[in-house]
Amino acid sequence: MTYTELSSTNGEAQTIVDTALRSAPPAELTPGKVYAFHTPTGIHKVDLTGPAQAPDRKVGTTTVRDAASFHAYFEKHADPDSEVYADAERLTVTAVLNAHQADGPRFGDHVLRLALRETETWKQWAARDGKLMDQETFAEFLEDHLPELLEPTAAEMLEIAQSFQATSKVEFQSANRLASGQRQFQYVETGTTKAGQKGQLAVPETFTIGLVPFDGSEGYRLTARLRYRIGQNGLQLGYKLERPGDIRTKAFADVVTAIGTEIDQPIMNGTPA
């Protein structure tokens, strides 16, 4: 009986496989992927990811917070066909850097947007606008915002604030308007060794503050009118800003003007498609 050696058969089979693999046509691999192959000597890896390739065009939306930043980015990426829009309601200025051309369309997906943010100081004054506070709270508010107080001076307003704190335990009875434009409060001492003693406290009926509405914008002067109420809860004080909405609108318009002086493209009123 004749026996065939198994090792010889396996060797011949492997030779056939190797020959077939070598004679097979080459396969196209997709760039950007990693491939692994089993070979007689182990696993062979082919890395086709390669270095990152630059995109074929500019895409994306960039948001900035002030006119200077808007101009810096616009100057770098804009061309004569870029379009700019201002929206006072949304407080935005939007530039479509690859906007449509007169003789053909473009993608319109490379966008620069200025989105203005109100300063914390503006928000704090706006939050208290028209609201009455007790004497202590009003005095503390003035002390915390001395840098914004222009007329009377911060030093004079600090003295007024301290006067309110010193008279927190009196009974206010009336208030009169003086010829000087101040409001004079009449009070009676209570709960002290001077109980029953009368006194007066004069406060400006209006005062001027300086506020910066938006980050990176200019500062503006606003008039605040004193508000008060004498009731069961004692003297309540506050202020009413004169036309803060107009100042906010002017501040946005000034930002748009500042941008317009630095670019050649007209700024249209509205928003892009």
Side-chain angles (χ1 to χ4, degrees), residues 44-158:
H44 179 64
K45 184 175 72 172
V46 178
D47 186 351
L48 298 183
T49 55
Q53 295 183 355
D56 56 357
R57 61 189 178 85
K58 300 174 182 177
V59 177
T61 299
T62 297
T63 300
V64 296
R65 298 299 183 184
D66 56 46
S69 300
F70 184 96
H71 176 250
Y73 192 93
F74 187 88
E75 185 178 38
K76 180 178 179 181
H77 298 283
D79 60 39
D81 293 304
S82 297
E83 296 176 351
V84 184
Y85 301 82
D87 188 333
E89 184 177 352
R90 293 184 174 90
L91 297 176
T92 59
V93 179
T94 304
V96 183
L97 300 169
N98 56 346
H100 298 318
Q101 296 172 316
D103 56 353
R106 291 199 293 181
F107 289 97
D109 53 4
H110 186 202
V111 177
L112 169 62
R113 179 170 292 118
L114 167 61
L116 293 176
R117 291 187 297 193
E118 292 180 343
T119 62
E120 286 300 318
T121 303
W122 177 274
K123 290 190 287 188
Q124 289 167 8
W125 278 94
R128 294 283 190 178
D129 186 20
K131 297 179 180 179
L132 295 177
M133 301 164 263
D134 59 55
Q135 292 170 243
E136 286 282 350
T137 304
F138 183 72
E140 290 173 358
F141 181 84
L142 292 180
E143 289 180 341
D144 292 341
H145 292 82
L146 291 177
E148 294 96 67
L149 300 173
L150 303 179
E151 298 175 4
T153 64
E156 293 172 307
M157 292 300 288
L158 177 60

Side-chain angles (χ1 to χ4, degrees), residues 18-37:
D18 292 343
T19 303
L21 289 174
R22 285 193 295 268
S23 60
E28 182 178 353
L29 302 180
T30 304
K33 294 185 177 181
V34 178
Y35 295 87
F37 302 92

Side-chain angles (χ1 to χ4, degrees), residues 212-240:
V212 177
F214 308 115
D215 289 338
S217 72
E218 299 296 325
Y220 298 82
R221 296 168 67 94
L222 291 88
T223 299
R225 293 194 171 274
L226 183 70
R227 292 287 184 267
Y228 72 92
R229 179 184 297 148
I230 299 175
Q232 294 180 346
N233 296 325
L235 177 63
Q236 300 282 305
L237 295 162
Y239 59 87
K240 182 63 180 175

